[in-house]
Amino acid sequence: MFDFQPDPAQPKPEMYRELVESARALTHGERDGVANMANLAALLWQFLPTLNWAGFYRVVDGELVLGPFVGKPACIRIPFGQGVCGAAAASGQTQLVPDVHAFPGHIACDAASRSELVVPVLRDGTVIAVIDLDSPEPARFDAEDAAGIEALAGAIADLI
């Protein structure tokens, strides 16, 4: 059994280094991408306070399809270019959104969400998935969060 205990008082860069190390330990030797995404969604939920959704959308046949997550039921399919997740998938760029209600075309799967961070997972330069984090707090995520989740995405790209 794994028992990861992040220190809520540590600086964000250290917490994200610990998150990436924990993700590597958790996925070590496991080749099933769905199993790894499921454990990683749970790990994100454990490490990051004030989330109401944490998980993955996978690229399947040119659109995003819901993957493992923690939170309320979510939209199953998202076309590239639509909503925050679709924008991240289409551009290959992290989307850091302090106010989802101000984001053109935002897809509201949970009305309680106020801010969102979506990071594409790239393998050989191609988006294969996105990591999606939602919070009921406005402006919950900042550049340190984006950099930390980008590091996680890079570390797990070959494992999902």
Side-chain angles (χ1 to χ4, degrees), residues 9-82:
Q10 67 186 332
K12 279 186 184 181
E14 290 177 28
M15 184 273 302
Y16 280 111
R17 276 192 292 280
E18 186 178 328
L19 173 65
V20 170
E21 289 173 13
S22 298
R24 287 186 174 126
L26 192 59
T27 58
H28 180 75
E30 180 53 58
R31 295 182 307 212
D32 187 279
V34 173
N36 285 335
M37 284 185 281
N39 264 340
L40 292 167
L43 189 68
L44 286 163
W45 190 264
Q46 186 173 2
F47 263 76
L48 302 176
T50 62
L51 297 182
N52 62 332
W53 205 92
F56 292 85
Y57 278 92
R58 305 165 297 120
V59 175
V60 179
D61 296 330
E63 66 182 339
L64 293 172
V65 178
L66 182 64
F69 68 93
V70 178
K72 290 184 178 181
C75 304
I76 295 173
R77 294 180 183 274
I78 300 174
F80 273 38
Q82 290 191 6

Side-chain angles (χ1 to χ4, degrees), residues 124-154:
D124 299 324
T126 300
V127 176
I128 60 163
V130 298
I131 300 170
D132 182 16
L133 303 174
D134 292 12
S135 175
E137 292 185 3
R140 156 62 181 88
F141 307 104
D142 61 20
E144 287 182 314
D145 295 301
I149 299 302
E150 287 168 350
L152 176 66

Side-chain angles (χ1 to χ4, degrees), residues 79-105:
F80 273 38
Q82 290 191 6
V84 181
C85 289
S91 68
Q93 300 294 314
T94 295
Q95 302 293 307
L96 177 60
V97 181
D99 178 3
V100 295
H101 301 297
F103 190 89

